C-alpha cells in the first residue's frame, strides 16, 4: 500500500474518533450493532446482487493487489528501452534474446520481437493485454464504487426504519431524542463508509490503473520504436513526453525550460 | 440465477426484516396497503409510460433469462477455437463442416466459414449479431434502471400527499407522530424498491451483458483467426488476453509472472 | 398513442386520485390555484426561455406525432427488402421502378437506386435523412426533459415562498399546519408534473426515436445490399440480426437455437 | 432577443411577483439587502474565480449577441446555394466572383473557391471557423451554467449562516419564525437566480449555438457541392435534409409524404 | 495569479465575513476548532487516499503554477509564425536555425524542423507533448475537484456526529439551539470550502488548461504549415480562426464582418 493511502486511512479514522471523543456524551452512543448490521450487511448484500460472485472476490483481490503493488519508474523504463533500441540498431533484434528485464510486459514485447513476430501482430498482442488489464482494473474499481453508492442508501433506509418506529411510539417525550439519535446512526455509518473509505479507495484504484496504463502504453511505443529501428535520440525525446515535468529534466536535459 | 444474486436478494430481505423485528413496536406498522399501491402502482404506471408495452415485457424476459443463464467458460472456448484453427490449417476449412459446438454463436461463425462466405461478410454478420444482442440487453437493463429512478420519486410523492393531509388536520397532537410515520412509509418503500432491488439487478444485468459481449468478441476474433489461417500458438496467446489473470495461467503457461 | 402510454397515464392519475381520496380530509385541500400558477406557469415560462418559440411548438408537435404514430414492423420490412433484392438481381435495378411501398423511406431509397444515383450519394442522402430525423426527435424529447427538470425547481421555489410567508406571520399557532400544507403543495405539483408525466414521456419519445432509428438504419443497409446485388439469403441473415430474439425465429428459421 | 426569451423572462418575473403579492404578509419581507449581497455577490465572485476575466465579459457579450442575433433562414440559404451551384456548373467558378451574399460565412467560402484555393484547404479553413465559433459559444454558455451551479450553493451558505446565528440566540421564541424566514431568503434567491434565469438562458444559448452550427455545416456542405460541380437537383435533395419536416415541403416538393 | 482569481477569492471572503458581521451574535460563534479539524482534516485525509502522494503535491504545484503563469497572446504567436513561414519559404528551413522565440514549444517545433526531422515524427513528438501536458493539467484539476466533492460529505458527517451527541443529551432545552448551531458549522465549512474555493479553482484550472491546449494546437498547426511551405497569407487566414472575434480583426483585416 502506498504511503498516502495508509496515512489517509489512519488519518480519517483519527479525525472521526477525535470528533466523537471531544464531543459530549460517551463514545458508546456511536456504536449500535443493529445499525451496523443494516448498513454493512445491506451494502454487502446489494453488492452481491450487483456483481457475479467471482467478480466481487476477484475485484477485491485486484483492488488489494493494485493498492499494494509498486509500479516501475517510467524514467528507468525509458533508459532501458533506449539502450535496447541502441543494441538492436547495432547488432540486430536477435541480440536482445535472453535479456532479463525488471518489467514483464517489456520483456514479453521484446521476446515477441526476437521471435520474429510480425509487426502488427506484436502491436495487437500487446494492445490486447493493455485492454484486458484496463478491464480487470475497472472491475476492481467498480466494486468499491458500487459500495460507495449503496452505503448511503442503506443508511437512509435504516434511518427511515428508525424514524417510523420512533414516530409510531411517541408516548414518552424523553425517549424521542435518543431514539432519533439511534435512527441517525445508520445515516452516519453509510456516509462514513462511502465518503471516507469506499469512494476514495475507488479513486485511488482509478489513479493507479491510469498510471499503469500510461506505463504500458509507453512500453508499447518503445517496442514499436525498437522494431522500426528508430534513432535512439529521437526515441528518447519521444518517450520523455510521458514523464511529468520534474522528471523530464532528469531523463532529458535538452528540454530544461518547461 | 447465479449464486451471488440469490444470496444477495435473500440477504437484503433478511437484513430489512431483522431491522424491523428487532426495533420497537409491531412489524405491522411497516405495512400499509395504500402506501404500497402508491409506490408500486405509480412505479409500474410510470414505467409503462416510459417504454413500449412489448419492451416492458420483453425487457423483463431478457432480464430474467440473462439472470438465469449460464455463460460458457472462456478458457474452454479458447481451447476449442485453437483446436478448430489447427484442424483448419491442416485439412482446410471444409474439415470443420458438421462439427457440434456447445456455443451456438461459435457454431454459426464456423458454419459461415465452411459455407465459403466472404471475409468481411462473416465479420459483418457476427458483429451485427453482437450489436443487436447488446441492444436487447440494454433494453432489459434500462427497464430495471427506470424502476430504480421512478420508485424514490413515487415514494416522495406519497410522503408529500401524507404530509399535506396530516398538516391540514392537526387537531389531535397525539395523531401527528403516527400520521408522519405512515407518510414516511412510502419514502421507505421507494428507497428499498430502488436501492435493494431494481438498481442492483440492473447492475447485474449490465455485468452479465458485459461478460457475454466480451465472450462474443473473443469468438469473433477466433473466427477471424481461423479464417486467416493464423498460427495456433499465436492465436492462443492473442486470445488468452481475454482471460482474467488467475485463469490465464491455466490456459497459457508462458505468462506465469503476471 | 401506443397502449402502454395510455394505460400508464390513466394509471398514474388513478393512483394519485386514489391516494388523495383514501386519506384524511377533503380532496379540495390538494387544489390551490396560486400554487398551480407558480408551478405550471413558472415551468412554461422557463421552458420558453430555454428554447426558441418554434422549437417549443415544433417539439410538442413532433412529440405528439411520435407518440401517436405506428411504426412499421421490422420483419415485414425485411421480407419486402429481400424480395426487392431478388427481383433486382434477376431483372436489374430498373425492374423496381414504380413499385408501391408502405414505408416512404424505403421507397425513397429504392427510387434513388432506380434513378441510377451513385453508390455513395445514395448512402449520403439517406444517412443525412436519418441524422436530421434524430435531431428533430431529440428536440422533441428535450422539451419534455426540460419540463421535467424545471418543474421540481419551481415547486421548491413555491414552497420557499410559502414557508417564508408562514414563518414571518406565526401569530396564530393553529394556522401553521395548514399554511405549511399549502406551501408543500407546490413541491407536490412539481414532483408529479416531472416524475409522473414529463420525464416518462421524454423517455417514451427516446424509445420511439430509437426504434425508428434502428428501422431506418436497417432500411439503409437493405438499400445498400440491393445496390450491391447481394445474395438474398445472406441479406436475410444480415438483416435478421435487427430483430429481437422472438421475432428472429419467424423471419429466419435457421437460427432457432438463439 | 427572440420572442420566446422575452416572454419567458417577463413571465417568470410575473409568476414570482404574483406569488408574493397574493400570499400573506407584505412583499417587503422578500427583500433583504444582506441576503442579496451574499447570493449575488458570492455568485459573481465565485464566477470570477472560475473563469479568466476576459472570458467572463467576453462570455456575457457573446451570450447577449447570440440571444439578440437573428439567424438566416436555412431554406433561403439552400436556394441561394443551389443557384450558385447552377451558375458555377454552367459558367465556371469565376462567375461567382463579386456576388453579394447575406451570409458572410457563405460569402467567405465562395470567395475562397473563386480564389482557386485548393479543395481541402477550403474545407479546413471553414471547418476551423466552425470549430472556433463553437468554442466561443460554449464559453458564453458555460458562464451562465456556472452561475446556475454556484447560485444555489451560495443560497445554502447564506441560509446556514442565518440558521447558525438564529440557533445561537434563541432567547426570544417569537423571533425564531422571522429569523428563519430571513435565513431561507438566500435559498430562495439562489434557486430563482439559477432555475428561472441562469440555467434557462444557458440552455437557450446552447440551442442557438446548435442552430448556427447546423447552418454553418450546411453551408460547408454547400460549398463542397459547388466546388465538386454536383448536379443542383441532387444538391437540393441533399441539403433539404437539414430542414425540419414542415419546411422541407416548401423547399422540396418531391418529399411530400414525410 | 490572474486578476479575476485574485478579485474572486478576496471578494468571496469579503462577502462571507460581511454576512457574519452584519448578522446577530458575535463572529466567534462561527469558529470552532473541532469542526474545522473534522472538515479540513477529513478532507485532506480522504484526498490522500484518493491520489498517490506525489500526485497530491505535484497536482498542487501544477495547479499553482498554472494559476500564476502568464500565457502568450495568440495574436503575437500567429504573427511570429507567419513571419517564420515567410522566411522558410524564401530561404529554406535552415534559415530558422538559432532564432530566439518567446514560446519554448514553438522553439522546440522549429528546432525539430531545422534538424531535418521527418514530417510525421515532428507531429508525433509535439502531439505527445500536448497529450502529456493535458494529462498533467488534468491531474492538478482533479485534486481540487476531489476536495470539492469530499468537503461537503465531511461537513455532513460532522453535522451528523454533532446531532447524535445533541439528541442523546437533551436534558437542558436551552442548550439545544447552540448545540445545533455548532453541529451545523461543519456543514457550513464544507459548503464554503467546496463551492467558494475548491470547485471554482478547479474550473479555473480547466479554463487555463483549455487555453493552453488551444495555443499549443495552434503552434502545432503553425509548425506543420511552415514545414509544408504553405502560402503565408493562407496560413494567416487558417490560424486566425483560433482567435476570438474581437482579436481576429486586429490580426486579419479581411474578415471584418464577423
Amino acid at each position: 500500500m502506498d504511503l498516502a493511502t495508509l496515512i489517509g486511512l489512519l488519518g480519517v479514522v483519527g479525525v472521526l474518533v477525535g470528533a466523537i471523543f471531544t464531543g459530549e456524551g460517551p463514545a458508546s452512543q456511536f456504536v449500535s450493532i443493529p445499525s451496523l448490521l443494516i448498513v454493512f450487511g445491506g451494502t454487502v448484500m446489494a453488492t452481491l446482487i450487483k456483481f457475479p460472485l467471482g467478480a466481487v472476490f476477484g475485484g477485491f483481490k485486484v483492488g488489494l493487489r493494485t493498492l499494494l503493488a509498486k509500479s516501475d519508474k517510467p524514467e528507468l523504463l525509458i533508459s532501458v528501452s533506449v539502450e535496447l533500441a541502441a543494441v538492436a540498431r547495432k547488432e540486430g533484434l536477435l541480440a536482445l534474446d535472453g535479456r532479463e528485464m525488471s518489467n514483464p510486459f517489456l520483456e514479453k514485447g521484446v521476446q515477441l520481437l526476437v521471435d520474429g513476430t510480425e509487426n502488427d501482430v506484436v502491436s495487437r498482442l500487446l494492445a490486447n493485454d493493455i485492454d484486458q488489464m484496463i478491464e480487470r482494473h475497472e472491475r476492481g474499481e467498480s466494486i468499491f464504487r458500487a459500495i460507495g453508492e449503496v452505503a448511503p442508501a442503506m443508511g437512509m433506509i435504516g434511518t427511515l426504519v428508525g424514524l417510523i418506529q420512533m414516530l409510531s411510539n411517541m408516548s414518552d417525550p424523553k425517549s424521542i431524542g435518543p431514539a432519533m439519535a439511534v435512527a441517525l446512526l445508520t445515516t452516519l455509518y453509510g456516509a462514513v463508509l462511502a465518503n471516507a473509505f469506499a469512494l476514495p479507495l475507488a479513486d485511488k484504484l482509478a489513479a493507479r490503473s491510469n498510471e499503469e496504463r500510461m506505463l504500458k502504453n509507453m512500453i508499447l511505443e518503445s517496442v514499436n520504436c525498437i522494431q522500426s529501428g528508430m534513432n535512439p535520440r529521437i526515441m528518447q525525446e519521444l518517450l520523455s513526453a510521458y514523464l511529468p515535468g520534474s522528471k523530464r529534466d532528469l531523463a532529458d536535459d535538452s528540454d530544461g525550460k518547461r
Side-chain angles (χ1 to χ4, degrees), chain A residues 75-218:
Chain A
E75 54 274 32
L76 291 184
L77 277 173
I78 291 180
S79 65
V80 168
S81 306
V82 170
E83 206 193 299
L84 292 174
V87 171
R89 249 165 93 95
K90 241 187 289 172
E91 314 173 27
L93 284 168
L94 283 177
L96 302 178
D97 199 10
R99 287 220 170 203
E100 294 253 315
M101 284 159 227
S102 64
N103 186 297
F105 188 70
L106 178 59
E107 190 167 328
K108 179 175 176 182
V110 169
Q111 195 54 46
L112 285 167
L113 293 187
V114 169
D115 293 354
T117 319
E118 256 173 86
N119 214 326
D120 59 328
V121 173
V122 173
S123 288
R124 220 164 129 201
L125 279 170
L126 296 182
N128 254 7
D129 256 34
I130 296 177
D131 287 354
Q132 297 304 317
M133 177 204 74
I134 292 174
E135 205 158 326
R136 276 196 306 278
H137 281 182
E138 278 177 353
R139 228 172 296 151
E141 186 195 335
S142 66
I143 302 276
F144 284 91
R145 204 157 306 278
I147 292 176
E149 276 168 19
V150 167
M154 288 297 155
M156 194 187 83
I157 288 174
T159 297
L160 284 168
V161 168
L163 278 180
I164 291 170
Q165 288 171 337
M166 180 200 90
L167 289 163
S168 307
N169 308 282
M170 298 208 308
S171 48
D172 176 14
K174 284 217 171 144
S175 73
I176 293 177
M180 256 199 82
V182 172
L184 281 180
L185 265 185
T186 56
T187 296
L188 176 62
Y189 290 165
V192 169
L193 179 53
N195 296 296
F197 299 102
L199 292 177
L201 281 174
D203 281 353
K204 173 68 100 302
L205 282 178
R208 293 302 304 262
S209 163
N210 211 26
E211 240 174 49
E212 189 129 333
R213 204 196 58 220
M214 196 215 65
L215 214 66
K216 291 207 164 175
N217 275 328
M218 197 186 77

